[in-house]
DNA sequence: GTCTATAGTCTGATAGAC
DNA sequence: GTCTATCAGACTATAGAC
Protein backbone atom coordinates (compact mmCIF):
# COMPACT_ATOMS: atom_id res chain seq x y z
CA UNK A 1 0.00 0.00 0.00
CA UNK A 2 1.50 3.31 -1.06
CA UNK A 3 1.15 6.93 -0.07
CA UNK A 4 -2.57 7.14 -0.85
CA UNK A 5 -3.76 6.67 2.70
CA UNK A 6 -7.33 6.17 3.67
CA UNK A 7 -9.03 8.42 6.21
CA UNK A 8 -6.82 9.59 9.06
CA UNK A 9 -5.46 6.42 10.58
CA UNK A 10 -2.30 5.91 8.54
CA UNK A 11 0.38 8.29 9.72
CA UNK A 12 1.05 11.63 11.37
CA UNK A 13 0.55 14.14 8.57
CA UNK A 14 -0.55 17.80 8.76
CA UNK A 15 -3.85 16.60 7.40
CA UNK A 16 -4.34 13.91 10.05
CA UNK A 17 -3.36 16.32 12.81
CA UNK A 18 -5.90 18.78 11.52
CA UNK A 19 -8.63 16.13 11.44
CA UNK A 20 -7.84 15.06 14.99
CA UNK A 21 -8.04 18.64 16.22
CA UNK A 22 -11.30 19.23 14.37
CA UNK A 23 -12.86 16.04 15.74
CA UNK A 24 -11.99 16.95 19.31
CA UNK A 25 -13.53 20.40 18.89
CA UNK A 26 -16.57 19.14 16.99
CA UNK A 27 -17.23 16.59 19.73
CA UNK A 28 -17.11 19.16 22.48
CA UNK A 29 -18.67 22.22 20.85
CA UNK A 30 -20.59 20.76 17.92
CA UNK A 31 -19.80 21.50 14.29
CA UNK A 32 -21.71 24.78 14.25
CA UNK A 33 -20.12 25.77 17.53
CA UNK A 34 -16.62 25.32 16.16
CA UNK A 35 -15.03 27.98 13.95
CA UNK A 36 -12.07 27.53 11.64
CA UNK A 37 -10.30 29.99 13.91
CA UNK A 38 -10.67 27.57 16.83
CA UNK A 39 -9.23 24.74 14.77
CA UNK A 40 -6.36 26.91 13.60
CA UNK A 41 -5.63 28.12 17.14
CA UNK A 42 -5.50 24.56 18.46
CA UNK A 43 -2.92 23.71 15.80
CA UNK A 44 -1.01 26.93 16.34
CA UNK A 45 -1.48 28.09 12.77
CA UNK A 46 -3.70 30.56 10.94
CA UNK A 47 -7.01 29.99 9.20
CA UNK A 48 -5.32 30.23 5.81
CA UNK A 49 -3.17 27.22 6.69
CA UNK A 50 -6.35 25.26 7.38
CA UNK A 51 -7.77 26.26 4.03
CA UNK A 52 -4.64 24.95 2.37
CA UNK A 53 -5.60 21.42 3.58
CA UNK A 54 -9.36 21.60 3.04
CA UNK A 55 -11.26 23.74 0.62
CA UNK A 56 -14.16 24.35 3.03
CA UNK A 57 -15.45 23.62 6.49
CA UNK A 58 -17.83 21.05 5.05
CA UNK A 59 -14.89 19.22 3.51
CA UNK A 60 -13.39 18.73 6.98
CA UNK A 61 -16.60 17.20 8.30
CA UNK A 62 -16.91 15.02 5.22
CA UNK A 63 -13.35 13.74 5.65
CA UNK A 64 -14.07 12.93 9.30
CA UNK A 65 -17.22 10.98 8.47
CA UNK A 66 -15.89 9.17 5.44
CA UNK A 67 -14.16 6.21 7.18
CA UNK A 68 -17.25 5.56 9.30
CA UNK A 69 -19.64 5.82 6.38
CA UNK A 70 -17.45 3.49 4.38
CA UNK A 71 -17.40 0.91 7.18
CA UNK A 72 -21.16 1.28 7.67
CA UNK A 73 -21.77 0.54 4.02
CA UNK A 74 -19.65 -2.59 4.27
CA UNK A 75 -21.52 -3.81 7.35
CA UNK A 76 -24.92 -3.20 5.79
CA UNK A 77 -24.08 -4.88 2.52
CA UNK A 78 -22.61 -7.92 4.22
CA UNK A 79 -25.66 -8.26 6.49
CA UNK A 80 -28.11 -7.92 3.60
CA UNK A 81 -26.46 -10.94 1.95
CA UNK A 82 -27.34 -13.22 4.86
CA UNK A 83 -30.23 -15.50 4.06
CA UNK A 84 -31.98 -15.95 7.39
CA UNK A 85 -33.43 -13.22 9.59
CA UNK A 86 -31.45 -14.48 12.55
CA UNK A 87 -28.19 -14.32 10.63
CA UNK A 88 -29.01 -10.82 9.37
CA UNK A 89 -29.68 -9.50 12.84
CA UNK A 90 -26.58 -11.19 14.21
CA UNK A 91 -24.44 -9.78 11.42
CA UNK A 92 -25.67 -6.21 11.61
CA UNK A 93 -25.60 -6.16 15.40
CA UNK A 94 -21.99 -7.27 15.74
CA UNK A 95 -20.99 -5.09 12.80
CA UNK A 96 -22.58 -1.91 14.09
CA UNK A 97 -21.27 -2.39 17.61
CA UNK A 98 -17.79 -2.88 16.21
CA UNK A 99 -18.16 0.37 14.25
CA UNK A 100 -19.51 2.30 17.16
CA UNK A 101 -16.64 1.22 19.39
CA UNK A 102 -13.86 1.77 16.86
CA UNK A 103 -15.19 5.16 15.78
CA UNK A 104 -16.55 6.27 19.14
CA UNK A 105 -16.44 10.01 18.70
CA UNK A 106 -17.33 10.09 15.02
CA UNK A 107 -20.34 7.84 15.64
CA UNK A 108 -21.77 10.21 18.19
CA UNK A 109 -21.13 13.12 15.85
CA UNK A 110 -22.93 11.43 12.98
CA UNK A 111 -25.86 10.44 15.17
CA UNK A 112 -26.42 13.72 16.96
CA UNK A 113 -24.93 16.71 15.18
CA UNK A 114 -27.40 18.70 13.07
CA UNK A 115 -24.62 19.64 10.66
CA UNK A 116 -24.44 16.04 9.43
CA UNK A 117 -27.89 15.73 7.86
CA UNK A 118 -27.50 19.26 6.53
CA UNK A 119 -24.32 18.15 4.83
CA UNK A 120 -25.45 14.78 3.54
CA UNK A 121 -28.45 16.25 1.82
CA UNK A 122 -26.01 16.61 -1.06
CA UNK A 123 -23.48 13.88 -0.28
CA UNK A 124 -23.12 10.10 0.14
CA UNK A 125 -26.06 9.49 2.35
CA UNK A 126 -25.42 8.28 5.87
CA UNK A 127 -29.11 8.61 6.59
CA UNK A 128 -29.89 5.96 3.98
CA UNK A 129 -27.41 3.58 5.60
CA UNK A 130 -28.92 4.17 9.04
CA UNK A 131 -32.29 3.44 7.50
CA UNK A 132 -31.07 0.12 6.07
CA UNK A 133 -29.57 -0.81 9.44
CA UNK A 134 -32.92 -0.10 11.03
CA UNK A 135 -34.71 -2.26 8.50
CA UNK A 136 -32.35 -5.17 9.08
CA UNK A 137 -32.96 -5.03 12.83
CA UNK A 138 -36.69 -4.52 12.49
CA UNK A 139 -37.55 -7.15 9.91
CA UNK A 140 -40.89 -7.18 8.11
CA UNK A 141 -44.07 -6.15 9.93
CA UNK A 142 -42.51 -5.20 13.27
CA UNK A 143 -44.76 -4.86 16.32
CA UNK A 144 -44.75 -1.47 18.07
CA UNK A 145 -42.62 -2.90 20.85
CA UNK A 146 -39.97 -3.99 18.41
CA UNK A 147 -40.05 -0.60 16.69
CA UNK A 148 -39.40 1.12 19.98
CA UNK A 149 -36.70 -1.32 21.09
CA UNK A 150 -34.84 -0.82 17.83
CA UNK A 151 -35.15 2.96 18.07
CA UNK A 152 -33.70 2.83 21.58
CA UNK A 153 -30.94 0.53 20.43
CA UNK A 154 -29.95 2.87 17.62
CA UNK A 155 -29.42 5.83 19.90
CA UNK A 156 -27.73 3.69 22.52
CA UNK A 157 -25.21 2.12 20.17
CA UNK A 158 -24.12 5.30 18.43
CA UNK A 159 -24.08 7.61 21.45
CA UNK A 160 -22.64 5.39 24.19
CA UNK A 161 -19.02 5.63 23.10
CA UNK A 162 -19.06 9.35 23.78
CA UNK A 163 -19.91 8.82 27.45
CA UNK A 164 -16.94 10.10 29.45
CA UNK A 165 -17.39 7.36 32.05
CA UNK A 166 -16.52 4.79 29.42
CA UNK A 167 -13.45 6.60 28.12
CA UNK A 168 -11.16 4.26 30.06
CA UNK A 169 -12.90 1.07 28.95
CA UNK A 170 -10.93 -0.79 26.31
CA UNK A 171 -12.42 -1.50 22.92
CA UNK A 172 -12.73 -5.26 23.32
CA UNK A 173 -14.41 -5.06 26.72
CA UNK A 174 -16.79 -2.36 25.55
CA UNK A 175 -17.69 -4.30 22.42
CA UNK A 176 -18.43 -7.48 24.38
CA UNK A 177 -20.56 -5.77 27.03
CA UNK A 178 -22.47 -3.72 24.50
CA UNK A 179 -23.30 -6.86 22.55
CA UNK A 180 -24.61 -8.58 25.66
CA UNK A 181 -26.71 -5.54 26.58
CA UNK A 182 -28.01 -5.10 23.03
CA UNK A 183 -29.12 -8.77 22.95
CA UNK A 184 -30.98 -8.28 26.21
CA UNK A 185 -32.64 -5.14 24.88
CA UNK A 186 -33.85 -6.95 21.77
CA UNK A 187 -34.87 -10.04 23.74
CA UNK A 188 -32.39 -12.33 21.98
CA UNK A 189 -30.89 -15.26 23.80
CA UNK A 190 -27.17 -15.02 24.51
CA UNK A 191 -25.08 -17.07 22.14
CA UNK A 192 -23.78 -20.28 23.67
CA UNK B 1 -54.10 29.51 39.50
CA UNK B 2 -53.65 32.98 38.11
CA UNK B 3 -51.76 34.57 35.26
CA UNK B 4 -48.32 33.50 36.47
CA UNK B 5 -48.03 30.49 34.21
CA UNK B 6 -45.30 27.93 34.44
CA UNK B 7 -43.16 27.06 31.43
CA UNK B 8 -44.98 27.18 28.11
CA UNK B 9 -47.91 24.83 28.58
CA UNK B 10 -50.57 27.14 29.91
CA UNK B 11 -51.98 29.21 27.09
CA UNK B 12 -51.28 30.67 23.66
CA UNK B 13 -49.21 33.74 24.43
CA UNK B 14 -46.59 35.53 22.28
CA UNK B 15 -44.03 34.05 24.61
CA UNK B 16 -45.26 30.48 24.24
CA UNK B 17 -45.46 30.82 20.48
CA UNK B 18 -41.90 32.06 20.44
CA UNK B 19 -40.73 29.12 22.56
CA UNK B 20 -42.49 26.64 20.30
CA UNK B 21 -40.87 28.15 17.23
CA UNK B 22 -37.44 28.16 18.88
CA UNK B 23 -37.78 24.53 19.99
CA UNK B 24 -38.71 23.38 16.52
CA UNK B 25 -35.71 25.17 15.02
CA UNK B 26 -33.32 24.10 17.78
CA UNK B 27 -34.38 20.48 17.29
CA UNK B 28 -33.75 20.55 13.57
CA UNK B 29 -30.72 22.82 13.26
CA UNK B 30 -29.24 22.75 16.75
CA UNK B 31 -28.99 25.79 19.02
CA UNK B 32 -25.80 27.07 17.40
CA UNK B 33 -27.28 26.47 13.96
CA UNK B 34 -30.32 28.62 14.73
CA UNK B 35 -30.10 32.40 14.58
CA UNK B 36 -32.48 34.87 16.14
CA UNK B 37 -33.27 35.93 12.60
CA UNK B 38 -34.54 32.42 11.82
CA UNK B 39 -36.77 32.47 14.89
CA UNK B 40 -38.09 35.90 14.01
CA UNK B 41 -38.74 34.88 10.39
CA UNK B 42 -40.70 31.83 11.49
CA UNK B 43 -42.92 34.05 13.63
CA UNK B 44 -43.21 36.70 10.93
CA UNK B 45 -41.68 39.41 13.11
CA UNK B 46 -38.30 41.12 13.44
CA UNK B 47 -35.41 40.29 15.73
CA UNK B 48 -36.24 43.27 17.91
CA UNK B 49 -39.63 41.74 18.68
CA UNK B 50 -37.87 38.59 19.85
CA UNK B 51 -35.63 40.64 22.12
CA UNK B 52 -38.67 42.17 23.69
CA UNK B 53 -39.65 38.71 25.01
CA UNK B 54 -36.19 37.44 25.96
CA UNK B 55 -33.14 39.45 26.86
CA UNK B 56 -30.74 37.07 25.13
CA UNK B 57 -30.50 33.90 23.08
CA UNK B 58 -29.38 31.99 26.17
CA UNK B 59 -32.53 33.07 27.97
CA UNK B 60 -34.64 31.35 25.31
CA UNK B 61 -32.77 28.07 25.73
CA UNK B 62 -32.99 28.38 29.50
CA UNK B 63 -36.74 28.90 29.33
CA UNK B 64 -37.10 25.85 27.10
CA UNK B 65 -35.10 23.62 29.45
CA UNK B 66 -36.60 24.88 32.68
CA UNK B 67 -39.73 22.70 32.81
CA UNK B 68 -37.70 19.57 32.08
CA UNK B 69 -35.00 20.40 34.60
CA UNK B 70 -37.65 21.10 37.18
CA UNK B 71 -39.33 17.75 36.56
CA UNK B 72 -35.98 15.97 36.58
CA UNK B 73 -35.17 17.40 39.98
CA UNK B 74 -38.51 16.19 41.31
CA UNK B 75 -37.93 12.68 39.95
CA UNK B 76 -34.42 12.45 41.38
CA UNK B 77 -35.37 13.72 44.81
CA UNK B 78 -38.34 11.39 45.05
CA UNK B 79 -36.21 8.40 44.01
CA UNK B 80 -33.44 9.24 46.47
CA UNK B 81 -35.97 9.03 49.30
CA UNK B 82 -36.75 5.39 48.55
CA UNK B 83 -35.14 3.06 51.05
CA UNK B 84 -34.37 -0.03 49.01
CA UNK B 85 -32.24 -0.26 45.89
CA UNK B 86 -35.05 -1.98 44.02
CA UNK B 87 -37.48 0.80 44.86
CA UNK B 88 -34.94 3.46 43.87
CA UNK B 89 -34.34 1.90 40.48
CA UNK B 90 -38.04 1.41 39.93
CA UNK B 91 -38.80 5.00 40.88
CA UNK B 92 -36.12 6.63 38.79
CA UNK B 93 -36.79 4.41 35.78
CA UNK B 94 -40.51 5.15 35.58
CA UNK B 95 -39.89 8.80 36.40
CA UNK B 96 -37.26 9.37 33.74
CA UNK B 97 -39.22 7.52 31.07
CA UNK B 98 -42.24 9.64 31.86
CA UNK B 99 -40.10 12.78 31.51
CA UNK B 100 -38.51 11.66 28.29
CA UNK B 101 -41.88 10.93 26.74
CA UNK B 102 -43.64 14.08 27.90
CA UNK B 103 -40.76 16.35 26.92
CA UNK B 104 -39.60 14.41 23.85
CA UNK B 105 -37.91 17.17 21.93
CA UNK B 106 -36.48 19.03 24.89
CA UNK B 107 -35.01 15.80 26.28
CA UNK B 108 -33.07 15.17 23.10
CA UNK B 109 -31.92 18.77 23.07
CA UNK B 110 -30.65 18.56 26.63
CA UNK B 111 -28.91 15.26 26.02
CA UNK B 112 -27.22 16.05 22.73
CA UNK B 113 -26.85 19.77 22.08
CA UNK B 114 -23.43 21.21 22.93
CA UNK B 115 -25.03 24.55 23.77
CA UNK B 116 -26.64 23.03 26.88
CA UNK B 117 -23.50 22.18 28.88
CA UNK B 118 -22.00 25.48 27.71
CA UNK B 119 -25.02 27.25 29.17
CA UNK B 120 -25.38 25.31 32.38
CA UNK B 121 -21.81 25.95 33.37
CA UNK B 122 -23.29 29.02 35.03
CA UNK B 123 -26.88 27.94 35.64
CA UNK B 124 -28.99 25.36 37.51
CA UNK B 125 -27.05 22.28 36.61
CA UNK B 126 -28.76 19.67 34.49
CA UNK B 127 -25.49 17.75 34.34
CA UNK B 128 -25.59 17.22 38.10
CA UNK B 129 -29.12 15.84 37.86
CA UNK B 130 -28.10 13.46 35.08
CA UNK B 131 -25.24 12.36 37.27
CA UNK B 132 -27.57 11.62 40.18
CA UNK B 133 -29.88 9.68 37.88
CA UNK B 134 -26.89 7.65 36.76
CA UNK B 135 -25.90 6.94 40.35
CA UNK B 136 -29.39 5.78 41.25
CA UNK B 137 -29.42 3.33 38.35
CA UNK B 138 -25.87 2.13 38.95
CA UNK B 139 -25.91 1.60 42.67
CA UNK B 140 -22.71 1.12 44.66
CA UNK B 141 -19.76 -0.77 43.13
CA UNK B 142 -21.25 -1.44 39.72
CA UNK B 143 -19.65 -4.09 37.51
CA UNK B 144 -18.40 -2.95 34.10
CA UNK B 145 -21.38 -4.58 32.43
CA UNK B 146 -23.78 -2.60 34.55
CA UNK B 147 -21.87 0.61 33.87
CA UNK B 148 -22.18 0.05 30.15
CA UNK B 149 -25.84 -0.97 30.29
CA UNK B 150 -26.69 2.18 32.22
CA UNK B 151 -24.73 4.35 29.80
CA UNK B 152 -26.64 2.81 26.91
CA UNK B 153 -29.92 3.28 28.72
CA UNK B 154 -29.23 6.95 29.36
CA UNK B 155 -28.71 7.74 25.69
CA UNK B 156 -31.60 5.54 24.65
CA UNK B 157 -34.13 7.11 27.01
CA UNK B 158 -33.33 10.73 26.26
CA UNK B 159 -32.82 10.42 22.51
CA UNK B 160 -35.54 7.98 21.48
CA UNK B 161 -38.39 10.47 21.57
CA UNK B 162 -36.77 12.47 18.79
CA UNK B 163 -36.89 9.49 16.41
CA UNK B 164 -39.25 10.49 13.58
CA UNK B 165 -40.54 6.93 13.27
CA UNK B 166 -42.05 7.24 16.75
CA UNK B 167 -43.66 10.61 16.15
CA UNK B 168 -47.06 8.98 15.65
CA UNK B 169 -46.82 6.77 18.74
CA UNK B 170 -48.95 8.06 21.59
CA UNK B 171 -47.41 8.95 24.92
CA UNK B 172 -48.93 6.12 26.91
CA UNK B 173 -47.96 3.43 24.43
CA UNK B 174 -44.44 4.81 24.12
CA UNK B 175 -44.03 5.01 27.88
CA UNK B 176 -45.16 1.43 28.39
CA UNK B 177 -42.98 -0.04 25.66
CA UNK B 178 -39.93 1.95 26.71
CA UNK B 179 -40.33 0.70 30.25
CA UNK B 180 -40.49 -2.91 29.10
CA UNK B 181 -37.43 -2.44 26.90
CA UNK B 182 -35.50 -0.62 29.63
CA UNK B 183 -36.21 -3.45 32.06
CA UNK B 184 -34.90 -5.96 29.55
CA UNK B 185 -31.79 -3.88 28.97
CA UNK B 186 -31.04 -3.75 32.69
CA UNK B 187 -31.90 -7.40 33.18
CA UNK B 188 -34.82 -6.69 35.53
CA UNK B 189 -37.78 -9.01 35.64
CA UNK B 190 -41.03 -7.57 34.31
CA UNK B 191 -43.40 -6.49 37.02
CA UNK B 192 -46.27 -8.89 37.61
C1' DG C 1 2.82 25.36 3.59
C1' DT C 2 2.38 29.24 6.02
C1' DC C 3 1.63 33.96 6.35
C1' DT C 4 -1.01 38.98 6.18
C1' DA C 5 -4.81 41.31 4.64
C1' DT C 6 -9.32 41.77 3.35
C1' DA C 7 -13.89 40.98 1.16
C1' DG C 8 -18.58 40.30 2.14
C1' DT C 9 -21.97 38.44 5.05
C1' DC C 10 -24.20 37.24 9.19
C1' DT C 11 -24.28 37.36 14.17
C1' DG C 12 -26.23 38.84 18.88
C1' DA C 13 -27.56 42.86 20.86
C1' DT C 14 -29.07 48.02 21.58
C1' DA C 15 -31.45 52.67 20.89
C1' DG C 16 -35.32 55.01 20.16
C1' DA C 17 -39.71 56.17 17.33
C1' DC C 18 -44.61 54.79 17.07
C1' DG D 1 -45.27 45.03 21.30
C1' DT D 2 -43.54 45.94 17.13
C1' DC D 3 -40.88 48.55 14.16
C1' DT D 4 -36.35 50.82 11.64
C1' DA D 5 -31.72 51.55 12.00
C1' DT D 6 -27.47 50.58 13.62
C1' DC D 7 -23.41 48.67 16.17
C1' DA D 8 -19.16 46.05 16.85
C1' DG D 9 -17.52 41.71 16.24
C1' DA D 10 -17.22 36.99 14.30
C1' DC D 11 -17.87 34.21 10.53
C1' DT D 12 -16.35 31.63 5.94
C1' DA D 13 -13.66 32.20 2.27
C1' DT D 14 -10.25 34.34 -1.09
C1' DA D 15 -5.98 36.79 -2.91
C1' DG D 16 -1.41 37.09 -3.11
C1' DA D 17 3.43 37.63 -0.85
C1' DC D 18 7.15 34.71 1.01
Amino acid sequence: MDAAMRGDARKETPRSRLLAAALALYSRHGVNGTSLQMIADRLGVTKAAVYHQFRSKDAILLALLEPLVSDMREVVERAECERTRTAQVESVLTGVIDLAVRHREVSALMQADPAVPALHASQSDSAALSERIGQLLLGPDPEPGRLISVAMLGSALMMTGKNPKLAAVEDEELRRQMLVAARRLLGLRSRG
Side-chain angles (χ1 to χ4, degrees), chain A:
Chain A
M1 193 179 293
D2 61 21
M5 50 197 65
R6 42 187 272 273
D8 59 340
R10 219 45 197 141
K11 206 161 191 183
E12 184 82 352
T13 64
R15 185 189 154 100
S16 72
R17 256 179 274 123
L18 196 159
L19 286 175
L23 178 54
L25 290 166
Y26 286 179
S27 280
R28 180 177 286 277
H29 305 287
V31 174
N32 288 325
T34 304
S35 68
L36 291 173
Q37 187 67 66
M38 291 164 74
I39 298 173
D41 286 350
R42 176 177 260 247
L43 295 167
V45 298
T46 62
K47 279 189 290 177
V50 173
Y51 273 106
H52 179 73
Q53 304 284 346
F54 294 93
R55 60 177 7 169
S56 71
K57 198 185 172 185
D58 280 356
I60 299 176
L61 179 55
L62 217 53
L64 280 173
L65 296 177
E66 191 271 334
L68 173 57
V69 172
S70 172
D71 286 356
M72 275 177 72
R73 182 170 293 114
E74 204 177 316
V75 164
V76 169
E77 288 175 354
R78 195 188 316 136
E80 285 174 345
C81 289
E82 297 286 349
R83 285 177 313 200
T84 69
R85 282 278 305 126
T86 310
Q88 284 188 341
V89 170
E90 188 66 25
S91 177
V92 77
L93 202 56
T94 56
V96 169
I97 287 172
D98 182 54
L99 284 185
V101 170
R102 277 195 355 260
H103 307 278
R104 298 189 197 192
E105 284 189 295
V106 182
S107 296
L109 204 67
M110 171 172 291
Q111 176 81 5
D113 201 297
V116 173
L119 180 71
H120 279 66
S122 55
Q123 281 289 14
S124 66
D125 213 347
S126 72
L129 288 171
S130 300
E131 174 65 24
R132 283 160 77 186
I133 289 173
Q135 285 303 323
L136 283 162
L137 290 172
L138 278 175
D141 300 319
E143 302 162 10
R146 180 74 172 188
L147 189 62
I148 288 159
S149 297
V150 168
M152 289 172 67
L153 182 62
S155 301
L157 293 186
M158 300 293 276
M159 299 294 293
T160 298
K162 200 186 172 185
N163 192 314
K165 284 190 178 171
L166 305 183
V169 179
E170 284 176 15
D171 282 8
E172 195 192 303
E173 165 90 348
L174 185 54
R175 199 158 25 218
R176 189 163 31 107
Q177 298 284 6
M178 282 179 71
L179 189 54
V180 171
R183 284 218 179 86
R184 276 201 310 263
L185 176 53
L186 292 182
L188 304 176
R189 78 186 191 296
S190 297
R191 275 209 309 193

